[in-house]
Amino acid sequence: MEEYDLVIIGGGPAGLTAGIYAGRQGMNAVILERMTGAGSGYMVPLMENYPGFEVTSGKELLEKMRKQVEKHIPIRNMEEVKEIRENSPGDISLTTSQGEYRAKSVIISTGSHHRRLNVPGEYEFLGRGVSYCATCDGPLFKEKSVVVVGGGNAAVQEAIYLNDLDCDVTIIHRRDELRAEKYLQNKLKGHEIPVIWDSVVEGINGEVVVNSVSILNRKTQEKKDLPTDGVFIAVGEEPLNKVAQSAGVELDKEGYIVTDKHQRTNLPGIYAAGDITGGIKQWVVACSEGAVAALIAFVEVMEESEIK
């Protein structure tokens, strides 16, 4: 059983930043990432609001961060944490897909995952016209028609990205106005991307691949089928909180981890950072929370060691 001062669960912006700060403090730490990279962060096609980068992508930024982390502590990919058990303050056991760990502290930065539409055809046509990642699959739809479902930042960013790939893009949004930042809305208008308002997708249709979506107008109750080659779904996210639940970490009504201003949870030695804490889901916020969590963990691990 390997023992660490700090185990960081999740290799997204929050977890990687925590790793940088923990490593620079000289902590014996490790990052455990359940995927090969940093999850949904790799899917962000374009970023224009991360300080110091006029334009970048999620993949580019995360790869730079990973290289920086690996100068200080290891990152173990494809190792999912299944369970956390707090034996006593400063003594935490973790069970992963690869083995067992013990740690004096843990930072949970498991993030969130894409919310599903849960409509007929969504699962059947996954990878055959249905996608949750424009960066990953967009080039396959060059010069084809696609719809983007959603109205937040992610949906608008994906629509613009797909439009730049010469896709014929239409947004479908359940409300009569977008939730995206005004700056992105203005860019959307500049690209002249049409929006079908007050409408929801009730089904995704096709034979071997997608060929249309069934749409319901929520105000008029009118139904119609819209021909399309691809469906990109960007309707929000849900917290990846299973491991937090296993430990008895307090969650809010939406399933996000409750923390204080120092990223402490209700359990001593267990912290949380990034999208798993809810609130404003921005990379700069996640990085900030990761830094705070790592610095507080360092101080409290040192204090606990002095007491012992």
Side-chain angles (χ1 to χ4, degrees), residues 108 239 241 244-245 248-268 270-279 289:
I108 302 174
N241 59 16
Q245 287 181 313
V249 171
E250 182 184 358
L251 307 176
D252 66 16
K253 63 181 181 180
E254 294 180 334
Y256 292 97
I257 296 176
V258 176
T259 67
D260 65 12
K261 67 178 182 180
H262 296 302
Q263 306 308 131
R264 301 186 188 96
T265 69
N266 59 307
L267 300 179
I270 299 181
Y271 311 83
D275 285 0
I276 189 62
T277 65
E289 290 185 356

Side-chain angles (χ1 to χ4, degrees), residues 8-273:
I8 300 165
I9 307 173
L16 292 174
T17 304
I20 293 168
Y21 275 77
R24 285 174 58 83
Q25 296 293 330
M27 297 186 82
N28 179 24
V30 63
I31 294 175
L32 303 179
E33 164 57 46
R34 70 187 181 94
M35 301 176 73
T36 55
S40 60
Y42 265 48
M43 301 180 187
V44 179
L46 187 68
M47 296 176 64
E48 298 175 282
N49 60 356
Y50 193 86
F53 291 82
E54 188 171 338
V55 179
T56 187
S57 68
K59 181 178 181 181
E60 179 184 4
L61 189 54
L62 285 167
E63 288 179 349
K64 289 179 180 293
M65 293 175 72
R66 285 171 64 88
K67 288 180 181 179
Q68 192 173 358
V69 170
E70 288 172 335
K71 293 179 181 178
H72 304 287
I73 67 172
I75 302 172
R76 296 184 179 173
N77 296 317
M78 302 299 292
E79 184 160 4
E80 182 177 3
V81 177
K82 301 289 189 179
E83 184 181 17
I84 304 173
R85 301 180 304 281
E86 184 166 56
N87 306 313
S88 62
D91 183 12
I92 302 167
S93 298
L94 299 94
T95 301
T96 77
S97 56
Q98 304 295 326
E100 301 281 336
Y101 293 79
R102 291 185 76 170
K104 297 175 182 177
S105 60
V106 170
I107 296 175
I108 302 174
S109 54
T110 46
S112 56
H113 68 135
H114 295 291
R115 183 175 286 121
R116 312 303 193 213
L117 293 178
N118 293 319
V119 299
E122 180 176 8
Y123 297 100
E124 292 86 341
F125 291 106
L126 184 62
R128 293 186 289 127
V130 173
S131 175
Y132 301 91
C133 176
T135 308
C136 310
D137 301 324
L140 300 174
F141 295 87
K142 186 178 177 67
E143 298 181 350
K144 295 183 179 181
S145 66
V146 298
V147 297
V148 175
V149 186
N153 286 349
V156 174
Q157 286 175 322
E158 296 218 337
I160 293 170
Y161 175 77
L162 291 164
N163 181 261
D164 288 341
L165 289 176
D166 293 327
C167 297
D168 180 12
V169 185
T170 300
I171 292 178
I172 302 172
H173 185 41
R174 65 193 305 270
R175 298 185 175 88
D176 59 4
E177 61 180 3
L178 298 172
R179 295 177 289 107
E181 296 171 0
K182 187 61 66 177
Y183 170 73
L184 287 172
Q185 293 191 41
N186 290 337
K187 286 195 68 173
L188 187 71
K189 291 177 182 177
H191 282 69
E192 299 182 345
I193 297 172
V195 181
I196 299 176
W197 302 105
D198 302 310
S199 299
V200 294
V201 172
E202 289 197 316
I204 300 171
N205 315 307
E207 294 180 3
V208 177
V209 296
V210 169
N211 60 29
S212 70
V213 290
S214 297
I215 303 173
L216 168 69
N217 185 295
R218 299 170 69 234
K219 288 188 175 179
T220 66
Q221 296 303 302
E222 177 189 358
K223 295 185 178 183
K224 67 177 182 179
D225 284 351
L226 177 69
T228 189
D229 298 304
V231 182
F232 289 83
I233 300 170
V235 291
E237 299 176 336
E238 296 175 326
L240 290 166
N241 59 16
K242 188 175 180 180
V243 70
Q245 287 181 313
S246 76
V249 171
E250 182 184 358
L251 307 176
D252 66 16
K253 63 181 181 180
E254 294 180 334
Y256 292 97
I257 296 176
V258 176
T259 67
D260 65 12
K261 67 178 182 180
H262 296 302
Q263 306 308 131
R264 301 186 188 96
T265 69
N266 59 307
L267 300 179
I270 299 181
Y271 311 83

Side-chain angles (χ1 to χ4, degrees), residues 295-307:
L295 290 171
I296 297 300
F298 170 73
V299 170
E300 295 184 346
V301 165
M302 293 301 101
E303 289 176 348
E304 186 69 25
S305 298
E306 289 176 3
I307 293 172

